[in-house]
Amino acid sequence: MLLDDLDSHSLRVVRAIADHGSITRAAESLGYSQPAISQHLRRLETRIGMPVVARAGRGVRLTEAGRVLARHARAVTTALDAAAGELADLRGLRTGRVRLAGFPSASSSLVPRLLNTMEAEHPGVRITYLEAEPPEAVAAVRDQTADLAITFSYPGDRVDPHRESARGLAVVPLWKDEMLVALRADHPLARRPRVDLAELASASWIGGCPRCRGHLLELADACGYAPRIAYETDNFIAVLRMVAEGVGVALLPALAVGSAGTVDGVVLRPTANRDHRTINLVAAAGSDAVPAIAATADVLLALDGAPWGLSAL
């Protein structure tokens, strides 16, 4: 006998006969006619090559094979009913788990708002969060250690993790995050509505995260110079305070400034070319078929990025 010779419906029929003691009452409990149950039993007996029931006066009794099936049927059908209940919970978003990854400035802006909205709208969905820069976050989705990742990318970035490493994943652009030049308030360029990076060729720069520094190098190279990066820190508040002290200038995304807050004595100006980065959502292809993941993505897509300086693409 092959495993395929048994099916959940057959086990439910045998269990009903065991519980009710007759084919007629078993049929009533399952919502079928007595002839339909009898016919199903005959097919089951043909498949397994043994009788399942035997006549006992006006009723039937289970054979040894029938008792074996009935004994296992209780565990199998209970497990199937439990699985069906859990799937119904998932479909109705009464439960579910989503593993989210995101970069640091998203951690203090977008992510708290997302978590708060999910708690209000889908309290049964549990979200875990991992802070990671885009290369690691994209890799986490690819390695299936994260379901969704909030990432960023720069136009023309030579090491953009959303190219080869994201092949086969779904990458959805969410917002434009404008790059801002941070200057001390008394800097000669501070009164300009926009700042041409070419005019900062002799400045001392305060570099941010590795990918942000890489983007600064590319922008400066396009202007014909290599920026002198005197200090490096991933702490955006520290960057702004260094600028306020006059030790250098910096190039920061609006989201970083929006999450870190402003610092007295520092002015922020867009670049002359309106340089920006893009905030993305990365997911495994087809993950939108999982209700909890789809709901989390929908909430993120619906967030208003304006409070943190983000604008629609």
Side-chain angles (χ1 to χ4, degrees):
M1 182 184 70
L2 299 176
L3 184 60
D4 291 344
D5 292 332
L6 292 177
D7 59 84
S8 62
H9 184 54
S10 296
L11 293 176
R12 290 186 190 279
V13 168
V14 175
R15 178 179 176 179
I17 294 172
D19 289 343
H20 298 283
S22 77
I23 292 177
T24 300
R25 289 201 294 271
E28 290 174 354
S29 71
L30 294 172
Y32 292 97
S33 67
Q34 187 270 338
I37 293 297
S38 296
Q39 186 178 27
H40 189 87
L41 279 173
R42 287 194 293 271
R43 289 198 298 268
L44 173 61
E45 291 173 335
T46 299
R47 290 202 304 271
I48 67 173
M50 290 179 285
V52 174
V53 296
R55 289 291 172 184
R58 292 185 177 181
V60 296
R61 63 174 178 81
L62 292 176
T63 64
E64 185 175 358
R67 291 193 296 273
V68 169
L69 291 176
R71 186 172 70 251
H72 290 284
R74 295 184 187 281
V76 173
T77 56
T78 297
L80 289 173
D81 290 342
E86 289 185 26
L87 289 175
D89 284 344
L90 288 173
R91 190 179 300 111
L93 289 176
R94 291 186 292 272
T95 187
R97 183 187 71 160
V98 178
R99 299 163 300 172
L100 176 67
F103 56 95
S105 54
S107 299
S108 55
S109 54
L110 298 169
V111 173
R113 184 68 54 83
L114 170 65
L115 297 178
N116 182 56
T117 306
M118 285 296 295
E119 179 64 29
E121 297 183 2
H122 307 290
V125 176
R126 184 170 66 90
I127 298 179
T128 58
Y129 182 63
L130 166 70
E131 187 172 272
E133 293 289 351
E136 292 75 26
V138 172
V141 176
R142 175 169 296 286
D143 296 341
Q144 299 182 353
T145 57
D147 301 302
L148 297 172
I150 304 171
T151 65
F152 64 84
S153 57
Y154 289 106
D157 191 345
R158 287 187 288 244
V159 291
D160 187 353
H162 301 83
R163 292 177 184 163
E164 291 300 320
S165 60
R167 189 177 298 277
L169 302 179
V171 180
V172 181
L174 300 176
W175 298 284
K176 179 187 292 186
D177 189 8
E178 189 164 29
M179 303 303 296
L180 303 173
V181 180
L183 304 166
R184 182 168 162 144
D186 59 2
H187 192 282
L189 300 179
R191 294 186 179 182
R192 302 272 186 89
R194 295 189 182 92
V195 174
D196 187 343
L197 294 182
E199 296 186 71
L200 291 170
S202 61
S204 293
W205 287 87
I206 304 163
C209 73
R211 296 194 62 244
C212 297
R213 290 197 298 274
H215 185 58
L216 170 62
L217 292 172
E218 292 188 8
L219 292 178
D221 183 66
C223 295
Y225 70 94
R228 182 166 59 87
I229 300 178
Y231 309 97
E232 298 180 12
T233 175
D234 292 345
N235 187 321
F236 294 117
I237 295 177
V239 171
L240 291 172
R241 294 198 181 281
M242 287 182 183
V243 172
E245 292 296 329
V247 299
V249 301
L251 186 67
L252 297 173
L255 181 62
V257 175
S259 59
T262 57
V263 170
D264 290 341
V266 176
V267 298
L268 300 156
R269 297 289 182 262
T271 66
N273 293 327
R274 305 306 294 254
D275 296 299
H276 68 279
R277 67 180 184 178
T278 302
I279 308 299
N280 308 294
L281 175 63
V282 179
S287 62
D288 55 345
V290 180
I293 296 176
T296 305
D298 287 343
V299 168
L300 182 61
L301 289 167
L303 288 184
D304 180 11
W308 303 287
L310 303 177
S311 57
L313 291 169

